[in-house]
Amino acid sequence: EAGVTQFPSHSVIEKGQTVTLRCDPISGHDNLYWYRRVMGKEIKFLLHFVKESKQDESGMPNNRFLAERTGGTYSTLKVQPAELEDSGVYFCASSTGIFDNEQFFGPGTRLTVL
Amino acid sequence: DQQVKQNSPSLSVQEGRISILNCDYTNSMFDYFLWYKKYPAEGPTFLISISSIKDKNEDGRFTVFLNKSAKHLSLHIVPSQPGDSAVYFCAAKRLGSNYKLTFGKGTLLTVNP
């Protein structure tokens, strides 16, 4: 069974540009999460989808971040316009609909904003 | 305001000895705790968990202890192996849900041969 995949693995952009990150969860997983780790800090929650609906977006930093999960399959996270403080590693995770089941993480996308 | 704290950024132990990683939490709503292990350029992978109704959970070389009154948990690895060298994250959530995980900053464990 394929794990959670993320694309791209690395992205280097300039301040003010737009970047779109993609996450493909494990097939059949209803729950999809986005997290971010800024260098040296904790992994912080951004938002949670249940199928195509946003269940919790309390961690989204501001309205420059837009997440979508059309059709309840893959998800995208767009940052527009990117700022220097957006640099970090963005992780996607997925889990089944059963409560407390393990969240499986993807390898992350390392975003560098210059 | 960090709700999950791992106060040791790094830990170095000899192969075969015990590794003890510590974690403290402040939010009384947390009742399910997890440890994740992370290698460079990979995502975190689940290692072991414990719910607040228990004070110990064991899986092979890994044991997690929970002290609810102190809001403290620890991960014991015995015996430690060089392949255990990784960043270990403590995480917490509310049981009975698919709520988000709240993570600590991680502890880099180095196991020396």
Side-chain angles (χ1 to χ4, degrees), chain A residues 71-104:
Chain A
T73 54
Y74 71 91
S75 174
T76 57
L77 180 64
K78 181 192 285 189
V79 185
Q80 179 182 32
E83 298 288 344
L84 300 179
E85 64 266 23
D86 301 333
S87 295
V89 180
Y90 290 75
F91 292 105
C92 175
S94 72
S95 69
T96 69
I98 300 171
F99 284 167
D100 304 316
N101 261 19
E102 175 187 347
Q103 290 185 23
F104 293 85

PDB file of all heavy atoms in Angstrom, chain A residues 71-104:
ATOM      1  N   GLY A  71     -13.185  16.814  -3.977  1.00  0.00           N
ATOM      2  CA  GLY A  71     -13.517  15.407  -4.176  1.00  0.00           C
ATOM      3  C   GLY A  71     -13.068  14.498  -3.049  1.00  0.00           C
ATOM      4  O   GLY A  71     -13.219  13.276  -3.130  1.00  0.00           O
ATOM      5  N   GLY A  72     -12.500  15.080  -2.011  1.00  0.00           N
ATOM      6  CA  GLY A  72     -12.106  14.274  -0.862  1.00  0.00           C
ATOM      7  C   GLY A  72     -10.918  13.365  -1.099  1.00  0.00           C
ATOM      8  O   GLY A  72     -10.708  12.413  -0.337  1.00  0.00           O
ATOM      9  N   THR A  73     -10.141  13.654  -2.140  1.00  0.00           N
ATOM     10  CA  THR A  73      -8.957  12.817  -2.373  1.00  0.00           C
ATOM     11  C   THR A  73      -7.697  13.602  -2.026  1.00  0.00           C
ATOM     12  O   THR A  73      -7.429  13.800  -0.843  1.00  0.00           O
ATOM     13  CB  THR A  73      -8.909  12.331  -3.827  1.00  0.00           C
ATOM     14  OG1 THR A  73      -9.005  13.479  -4.705  1.00  0.00           O
ATOM     15  CG2 THR A  73     -10.057  11.380  -4.120  1.00  0.00           C
ATOM     16  N   TYR A  74      -6.978  14.095  -3.040  1.00  0.00           N
ATOM     17  CA  TYR A  74      -5.749  14.821  -2.746  1.00  0.00           C
ATOM     18  C   TYR A  74      -6.085  16.223  -2.244  1.00  0.00           C
ATOM     19  O   TYR A  74      -7.207  16.715  -2.390  1.00  0.00           O
ATOM     20  CB  TYR A  74      -4.853  14.873  -3.980  1.00  0.00           C
ATOM     21  CG  TYR A  74      -5.355  15.775  -5.078  1.00  0.00           C
ATOM     22  CD1 TYR A  74      -4.976  17.115  -5.133  1.00  0.00           C
ATOM     23  CD2 TYR A  74      -6.214  15.298  -6.065  1.00  0.00           C
ATOM     24  CE1 TYR A  74      -5.445  17.952  -6.126  1.00  0.00           C
ATOM     25  CE2 TYR A  74      -6.682  16.124  -7.064  1.00  0.00           C
ATOM     26  CZ  TYR A  74      -6.293  17.450  -7.086  1.00  0.00           C
ATOM     27  OH  TYR A  74      -6.766  18.277  -8.069  1.00  0.00           O
ATOM     28  N   SER A  75      -5.089  16.844  -1.651  1.00  0.00           N
ATOM     29  CA  SER A  75      -5.261  18.197  -1.132  1.00  0.00           C
ATOM     30  C   SER A  75      -4.136  19.094  -1.634  1.00  0.00           C
ATOM     31  O   SER A  75      -3.027  18.624  -1.918  1.00  0.00           O
ATOM     32  CB  SER A  75      -5.244  18.178   0.395  1.00  0.00           C
ATOM     33  OG  SER A  75      -5.278  19.491   0.932  1.00  0.00           O
ATOM     34  N   THR A  76      -4.442  20.365  -1.762  1.00  0.00           N
ATOM     35  CA  THR A  76      -3.431  21.362  -2.089  1.00  0.00           C
ATOM     36  C   THR A  76      -3.409  22.437  -1.019  1.00  0.00           C
ATOM     37  O   THR A  76      -4.448  22.733  -0.396  1.00  0.00           O
ATOM     38  CB  THR A  76      -3.690  22.016  -3.461  1.00  0.00           C
ATOM     39  OG1 THR A  76      -4.987  22.606  -3.457  1.00  0.00           O
ATOM     40  CG2 THR A  76      -3.578  20.997  -4.589  1.00  0.00           C
ATOM     41  N   LEU A  77      -2.236  22.998  -0.804  1.00  0.00           N
ATOM     42  CA  LEU A  77      -2.058  24.113   0.119  1.00  0.00           C
ATOM     43  C   LEU A  77      -1.320  25.200  -0.648  1.00  0.00           C
ATOM     44  O   LEU A  77      -0.188  25.014  -1.085  1.00  0.00           O
ATOM     45  CB  LEU A  77      -1.240  23.680   1.343  1.00  0.00           C
ATOM     46  CG  LEU A  77      -0.964  24.747   2.390  1.00  0.00           C
ATOM     47  CD1 LEU A  77      -2.261  25.242   3.035  1.00  0.00           C
ATOM     48  CD2 LEU A  77      -0.014  24.214   3.472  1.00  0.00           C
ATOM     49  N   LYS A  78      -2.009  26.299  -0.851  1.00  0.00           N
ATOM     50  CA  LYS A  78      -1.435  27.401  -1.631  1.00  0.00           C
ATOM     51  C   LYS A  78      -1.042  28.524  -0.690  1.00  0.00           C
ATOM     52  O   LYS A  78      -1.819  28.885   0.227  1.00  0.00           O
ATOM     53  CB  LYS A  78      -2.452  27.918  -2.650  1.00  0.00           C
ATOM     54  CG  LYS A  78      -1.913  29.060  -3.515  1.00  0.00           C
ATOM     55  CD  LYS A  78      -3.005  29.750  -4.312  1.00  0.00           C
ATOM     56  CE  LYS A  78      -3.467  28.955  -5.483  1.00  0.00           C
ATOM     57  NZ  LYS A  78      -4.372  29.750  -6.362  1.00  0.00           N
ATOM     58  N   VAL A  79       0.118  29.076  -0.925  1.00  0.00           N
ATOM     59  CA  VAL A  79       0.587  30.232  -0.167  1.00  0.00           C
ATOM     60  C   VAL A  79       0.756  31.382  -1.157  1.00  0.00           C
ATOM     61  O   VAL A  79       1.528  31.295  -2.096  1.00  0.00           O
ATOM     62  CB  VAL A  79       1.924  29.948   0.543  1.00  0.00           C
ATOM     63  CG1 VAL A  79       2.312  31.139   1.428  1.00  0.00           C
ATOM     64  CG2 VAL A  79       1.847  28.671   1.368  1.00  0.00           C
ATOM     65  N   GLN A  80      -0.011  32.461  -0.931  1.00  0.00           N
ATOM     66  CA  GLN A  80      -0.022  33.556  -1.887  1.00  0.00           C
ATOM     67  C   GLN A  80      -0.364  34.876  -1.190  1.00  0.00           C
ATOM     68  O   GLN A  80      -1.487  34.991  -0.658  1.00  0.00           O
ATOM     69  CB  GLN A  80      -1.062  33.269  -2.982  1.00  0.00           C
ATOM     70  CG  GLN A  80      -1.196  34.367  -4.034  1.00  0.00           C
ATOM     71  CD  GLN A  80      -2.283  34.058  -5.062  1.00  0.00           C
ATOM     72  OE1 GLN A  80      -3.296  33.407  -4.741  1.00  0.00           O
ATOM     73  NE2 GLN A  80      -2.096  34.512  -6.273  1.00  0.00           N
ATOM     74  N   PRO A  81       0.526  35.863  -1.192  1.00  0.00           N
ATOM     75  CA  PRO A  81       1.927  35.796  -1.598  1.00  0.00           C
ATOM     76  C   PRO A  81       2.789  35.254  -0.454  1.00  0.00           C
ATOM     77  O   PRO A  81       2.481  35.453   0.717  1.00  0.00           O
ATOM     78  CB  PRO A  81       2.271  37.260  -1.864  1.00  0.00           C
ATOM     79  CG  PRO A  81       1.423  38.010  -0.869  1.00  0.00           C
ATOM     80  CD  PRO A  81       0.146  37.203  -0.734  1.00  0.00           C
ATOM     81  N   ALA A  82       3.848  34.560  -0.799  1.00  0.00           N
ATOM     82  CA  ALA A  82       4.720  33.976   0.227  1.00  0.00           C
ATOM     83  C   ALA A  82       5.552  35.052   0.913  1.00  0.00           C
ATOM     84  O   ALA A  82       5.991  36.026   0.288  1.00  0.00           O
ATOM     85  CB  ALA A  82       5.637  32.930  -0.414  1.00  0.00           C
ATOM     86  N   GLU A  83       5.753  34.877   2.204  1.00  0.00           N
ATOM     87  CA  GLU A  83       6.599  35.745   3.014  1.00  0.00           C
ATOM     88  C   GLU A  83       7.766  34.926   3.581  1.00  0.00           C
ATOM     89  O   GLU A  83       7.697  33.695   3.601  1.00  0.00           O
ATOM     90  CB  GLU A  83       5.800  36.364   4.159  1.00  0.00           C
ATOM     91  CG  GLU A  83       4.651  37.249   3.716  1.00  0.00           C
ATOM     92  CD  GLU A  83       5.121  38.571   3.118  1.00  0.00           C
ATOM     93  OE1 GLU A  83       6.311  38.939   3.310  1.00  0.00           O
ATOM     94  OE2 GLU A  83       4.321  39.233   2.435  1.00  0.00           O
ATOM     95  N   LEU A  84       8.794  35.623   4.046  1.00  0.00           N
ATOM     96  CA  LEU A  84       9.986  34.930   4.556  1.00  0.00           C
ATOM     97  C   LEU A  84       9.647  33.952   5.678  1.00  0.00           C
ATOM     98  O   LEU A  84      10.204  32.846   5.739  1.00  0.00           O
ATOM     99  CB  LEU A  84      11.019  35.948   5.062  1.00  0.00           C
ATOM    100  CG  LEU A  84      11.541  36.953   4.048  1.00  0.00           C
ATOM    101  CD1 LEU A  84      12.542  37.902   4.722  1.00  0.00           C
ATOM    102  CD2 LEU A  84      12.194  36.259   2.871  1.00  0.00           C
ATOM    103  N   GLU A  85       8.711  34.351   6.550  1.00  0.00           N
ATOM    104  CA  GLU A  85       8.397  33.521   7.715  1.00  0.00           C
ATOM    105  C   GLU A  85       7.597  32.263   7.362  1.00  0.00           C
ATOM    106  O   GLU A  85       7.322  31.439   8.237  1.00  0.00           O
ATOM    107  CB  GLU A  85       7.616  34.328   8.764  1.00  0.00           C
ATOM    108  CG  GLU A  85       6.250  34.811   8.322  1.00  0.00           C
ATOM    109  CD  GLU A  85       6.274  36.226   7.763  1.00  0.00           C
ATOM    110  OE1 GLU A  85       7.352  36.677   7.310  1.00  0.00           O
ATOM    111  OE2 GLU A  85       5.206  36.867   7.804  1.00  0.00           O
ATOM    112  N   ASP A  86       7.233  32.120   6.089  1.00  0.00           N
ATOM    113  CA  ASP A  86       6.523  30.914   5.668  1.00  0.00           C
ATOM    114  C   ASP A  86       7.489  29.751   5.424  1.00  0.00           C
ATOM    115  O   ASP A  86       7.040  28.611   5.219  1.00  0.00           O
ATOM    116  CB  ASP A  86       5.727  31.176   4.378  1.00  0.00           C
ATOM    117  CG  ASP A  86       4.707  32.285   4.540  1.00  0.00           C
ATOM    118  OD1 ASP A  86       4.235  32.500   5.688  1.00  0.00           O
ATOM    119  OD2 ASP A  86       4.383  32.953   3.538  1.00  0.00           O
ATOM    120  N   SER A  87       8.763  30.029   5.446  1.00  0.00           N
ATOM    121  CA  SER A  87       9.751  28.966   5.222  1.00  0.00           C
ATOM    122  C   SER A  87       9.622  27.895   6.303  1.00  0.00           C
ATOM    123  O   SER A  87       9.396  28.206   7.478  1.00  0.00           O
ATOM    124  CB  SER A  87      11.172  29.540   5.258  1.00  0.00           C
ATOM    125  OG  SER A  87      11.379  30.427   4.183  1.00  0.00           O
ATOM    126  N   GLY A  88       9.783  26.650   5.892  1.00  0.00           N
ATOM    127  CA  GLY A  88       9.694  25.539   6.836  1.00  0.00           C
ATOM    128  C   GLY A  88       9.391  24.261   6.080  1.00  0.00           C
ATOM    129  O   GLY A  88       9.396  24.231   4.857  1.00  0.00           O
ATOM    130  N   VAL A  89       9.130  23.209   6.822  1.00  0.00           N
ATOM    131  CA  VAL A  89       8.751  21.939   6.212  1.00  0.00           C
ATOM    132  C   VAL A  89       7.264  21.732   6.453  1.00  0.00           C
ATOM    133  O   VAL A  89       6.802  21.777   7.598  1.00  0.00           O
ATOM    134  CB  VAL A  89       9.554  20.755   6.794  1.00  0.00           C
ATOM    135  CG1 VAL A  89       9.125  19.456   6.118  1.00  0.00           C
ATOM    136  CG2 VAL A  89      11.045  20.985   6.623  1.00  0.00           C
ATOM    137  N   TYR A  90       6.546  21.504   5.383  1.00  0.00           N
ATOM    138  CA  TYR A  90       5.100  21.293   5.448  1.00  0.00           C
ATOM    139  C   TYR A  90       4.815  19.804   5.328  1.00  0.00           C
ATOM    140  O   TYR A  90       5.160  19.172   4.327  1.00  0.00           O
ATOM    141  CB  TYR A  90       4.404  22.070   4.331  1.00  0.00           C
ATOM    142  CG  TYR A  90       4.442  23.559   4.558  1.00  0.00           C
ATOM    143  CD1 TYR A  90       5.615  24.289   4.345  1.00  0.00           C
ATOM    144  CD2 TYR A  90       3.331  24.239   5.029  1.00  0.00           C
ATOM    145  CE1 TYR A  90       5.669  25.653   4.580  1.00  0.00           C
ATOM    146  CE2 TYR A  90       3.371  25.612   5.264  1.00  0.00           C
ATOM    147  CZ  TYR A  90       4.540  26.304   5.043  1.00  0.00           C
ATOM    148  OH  TYR A  90       4.585  27.659   5.286  1.00  0.00           O
ATOM    149  N   PHE A  91       4.208  19.276   6.368  1.00  0.00           N
ATOM    150  CA  PHE A  91       3.870  17.856   6.393  1.00  0.00           C
ATOM    151  C   PHE A  91       2.374  17.668   6.184  1.00  0.00           C
ATOM    152  O   PHE A  91       1.557  18.433   6.691  1.00  0.00           O
ATOM    153  CB  PHE A  91       4.234  17.221   7.736  1.00  0.00           C
ATOM    154  CG  PHE A  91       5.704  17.137   8.004  1.00  0.00           C
ATOM    155  CD1 PHE A  91       6.299  17.997   8.908  1.00  0.00           C
ATOM    156  CD2 PHE A  91       6.487  16.185   7.367  1.00  0.00           C
ATOM    157  CE1 PHE A  91       7.660  17.928   9.175  1.00  0.00           C
ATOM    158  CE2 PHE A  91       7.852  16.111   7.625  1.00  0.00           C
ATOM    159  CZ  PHE A  91       8.432  16.990   8.523  1.00  0.00           C
ATOM    160  N   CYS A  92       2.060  16.615   5.456  1.00  0.00           N
ATOM    161  CA  CYS A  92       0.685  16.181   5.315  1.00  0.00           C
ATOM    162  C   CYS A  92       0.564  14.831   6.018  1.00  0.00           C
ATOM    163  O   CYS A  92       1.514  14.037   6.020  1.00  0.00           O
ATOM    164  CB  CYS A  92       0.356  16.048   3.826  1.00  0.00           C
ATOM    165  SG  CYS A  92      -1.258  15.394   3.471  1.00  0.00           S
ATOM    166  N   ALA A  93      -0.571  14.589   6.628  1.00  0.00           N
ATOM    167  CA  ALA A  93      -0.815  13.303   7.272  1.00  0.00           C
ATOM    168  C   ALA A  93      -2.237  12.864   6.956  1.00  0.00           C
ATOM    169  O   ALA A  93      -3.107  13.695   6.675  1.00  0.00           O
ATOM    170  CB  ALA A  93      -0.612  13.404   8.784  1.00  0.00           C
ATOM    171  N   SER A  94      -2.470  11.567   7.011  1.00  0.00           N
ATOM    172  CA  SER A  94      -3.825  11.073   6.805  1.00  0.00           C
ATOM    173  C   SER A  94      -4.130   9.949   7.780  1.00  0.00           C
ATOM    174  O   SER A  94      -3.215   9.296   8.308  1.00  0.00           O
ATOM    175  CB  SER A  94      -4.041  10.619   5.354  1.00  0.00           C
ATOM    176  OG  SER A  94      -3.352   9.415   5.060  1.00  0.00           O
ATOM    177  N   SER A  95      -5.415   9.744   8.023  1.00  0.00           N
ATOM    178  CA  SER A  95      -5.836   8.649   8.890  1.00  0.00           C
ATOM    179  C   SER A  95      -7.216   8.183   8.461  1.00  0.00           C
ATOM    180  O   SER A  95      -7.937   8.895   7.751  1.00  0.00           O
ATOM    181  CB  SER A  95      -5.844   9.086  10.365  1.00  0.00           C
ATOM    182  OG  SER A  95      -6.877  10.017  10.615  1.00  0.00           O
ATOM    183  N   THR A  96      -7.583   6.990   8.915  1.00  0.00           N
ATOM    184  CA  THR A  96      -8.906   6.458   8.584  1.00  0.00           C
ATOM    185  C   THR A  96      -9.970   7.204   9.397  1.00  0.00           C
ATOM    186  O   THR A  96      -9.662   8.060  10.224  1.00  0.00           O
ATOM    187  CB  THR A  96      -8.991   4.966   8.915  1.00  0.00           C
ATOM    188  OG1 THR A  96      -8.959   4.822  10.345  1.00  0.00           O
ATOM    189  CG2 THR A  96      -7.851   4.186   8.303  1.00  0.00           C
ATOM    190  N   GLY A  97     -11.207   6.822   9.200  1.00  0.00           N
ATOM    191  CA  GLY A  97     -12.295   7.464   9.922  1.00  0.00           C
ATOM    192  C   GLY A  97     -12.472   6.944  11.333  1.00  0.00           C
ATOM    193  O   GLY A  97     -13.256   7.483  12.106  1.00  0.00           O
ATOM    194  N   ILE A  98     -11.705   5.920  11.687  1.00  0.00           N
ATOM    195  CA  ILE A  98     -11.843   5.352  13.030  1.00  0.00           C
ATOM    196  C   ILE A  98     -11.107   6.243  14.020  1.00  0.00           C
ATOM    197  O   ILE A  98      -9.952   6.621  13.803  1.00  0.00           O
ATOM    198  CB  ILE A  98     -11.262   3.919  13.069  1.00  0.00           C
ATOM    199  CG1 ILE A  98     -12.012   3.034  12.078  1.00  0.00           C
ATOM    200  CG2 ILE A  98     -11.320   3.345  14.474  1.00  0.00           C
ATOM    201  CD1 ILE A  98     -11.382   1.679  11.877  1.00  0.00           C
ATOM    202  N   PHE A  99     -11.787   6.565  15.121  1.00  0.00           N
ATOM    203  CA  PHE A  99     -11.190   7.466  16.104  1.00  0.00           C
ATOM    204  C   PHE A  99      -9.863   6.933  16.623  1.00  0.00           C
ATOM    205  O   PHE A  99      -9.704   5.748  16.856  1.00  0.00           O
ATOM    206  CB  PHE A  99     -12.125   7.657  17.290  1.00  0.00           C
ATOM    207  CG  PHE A  99     -13.283   8.557  17.018  1.00  0.00           C
ATOM    208  CD1 PHE A  99     -14.351   8.621  17.902  1.00  0.00           C
ATOM    209  CD2 PHE A  99     -13.337   9.350  15.892  1.00  0.00           C
ATOM    210  CE1 PHE A  99     -15.430   9.449  17.654  1.00  0.00           C
ATOM    211  CE2 PHE A  99     -14.412  10.190  15.634  1.00  0.00           C
ATOM    212  CZ  PHE A  99     -15.458  10.229  16.526  1.00  0.00           C
ATOM    213  N   ASP A 100      -8.947   7.855  16.794  1.00  0.00           N
ATOM    214  CA  ASP A 100      -7.652   7.591  17.403  1.00  0.00           C
ATOM    215  C   ASP A 100      -6.747   6.681  16.592  1.00  0.00           C
ATOM    216  O   ASP A 100      -5.722   6.222  17.093  1.00  0.00           O
ATOM    217  CB  ASP A 100      -7.803   7.027  18.833  1.00  0.00           C
ATOM    218  CG  ASP A 100      -8.622   7.950  19.712  1.00  0.00           C
ATOM    219  OD1 ASP A 100      -8.385   9.164  19.656  1.00  0.00           O
ATOM    220  OD2 ASP A 100      -9.504   7.460  20.421  1.00  0.00           O
ATOM    221  N   ASN A 101      -7.132   6.411  15.372  1.00  0.00           N
ATOM    222  CA  ASN A 101      -6.206   5.661  14.524  1.00  0.00           C
ATOM    223  C   ASN A 101      -4.994   6.514  14.205  1.00  0.00           C
ATOM    224  O   ASN A 101      -5.059   7.740  14.153  1.00  0.00           O
ATOM    225  CB  ASN A 101      -6.892   5.205  13.250  1.00  0.00           C
ATOM    226  CG  ASN A 101      -7.332   3.763  13.332  1.00  0.00           C
ATOM    227  OD1 ASN A 101      -7.448   3.197  14.416  1.00  0.00           O
ATOM    228  ND2 ASN A 101      -7.590   3.153  12.187  1.00  0.00           N
ATOM    229  N   GLU A 102      -3.900   5.820  13.954  1.00  0.00           N
ATOM    230  CA  GLU A 102      -2.627   6.471  13.684  1.00  0.00           C
ATOM    231  C   GLU A 102      -2.708   7.437  12.519  1.00  0.00           C
ATOM    232  O   GLU A 102      -3.363   7.171  11.509  1.00  0.00           O
ATOM    233  CB  GLU A 102      -1.602   5.386  13.356  1.00  0.00           C
ATOM    234  CG  GLU A 102      -0.242   5.867  12.929  1.00  0.00           C
ATOM    235  CD  GLU A 102       0.632   4.719  12.470  1.00  0.00           C
ATOM    236  OE1 GLU A 102       0.277   3.552  12.704  1.00  0.00           O
ATOM    237  OE2 GLU A 102       1.666   5.008  11.847  1.00  0.00           O
ATOM    238  N   GLN A 103      -2.053   8.583  12.678  1.00  0.00           N
ATOM    239  CA  GLN A 103      -1.878   9.499  11.562  1.00  0.00           C
ATOM    240  C   GLN A 103      -0.578   9.121  10.860  1.00  0.00           C
ATOM    241  O   GLN A 103       0.474   9.067  11.488  1.00  0.00           O
ATOM    242  CB  GLN A 103      -1.823  10.946  12.052  1.00  0.00           C
ATOM    243  CG  GLN A 103      -3.149  11.461  12.568  1.00  0.00           C
ATOM    244  CD  GLN A 103      -3.114  12.935  12.927  1.00  0.00           C
ATOM    245  OE1 GLN A 103      -2.286  13.706  12.429  1.00  0.00           O
ATOM    246  NE2 GLN A 103      -4.021  13.343  13.800  1.00  0.00           N
ATOM    247  N   PHE A 104      -0.678   8.872   9.558  1.00  0.00           N
ATOM    248  CA  PHE A 104       0.482   8.525   8.750  1.00  0.00           C
ATOM    249  C   PHE A 104       0.968   9.797   8.057  1.00  0.00           C
ATOM    250  O   PHE A 104       0.180  10.477   7.400  1.00  0.00           O
ATOM    251  CB  PHE A 104       0.114   7.478   7.695  1.00  0.00           C
ATOM    252  CG  PHE A 104      -0.237   6.138   8.260  1.00  0.00           C
ATOM    253  CD1 PHE A 104      -1.524   5.863   8.688  1.00  0.00           C
ATOM    254  CD2 PHE A 104       0.718   5.144   8.370  1.00  0.00           C
ATOM    255  CE1 PHE A 104      -1.860   4.628   9.216  1.00  0.00           C
ATOM    256  CE2 PHE A 104       0.395   3.902   8.887  1.00  0.00           C
ATOM    257  CZ  PHE A 104      -0.893   3.648   9.310  1.00  0.00           C
TER     258      PHE A 104
END
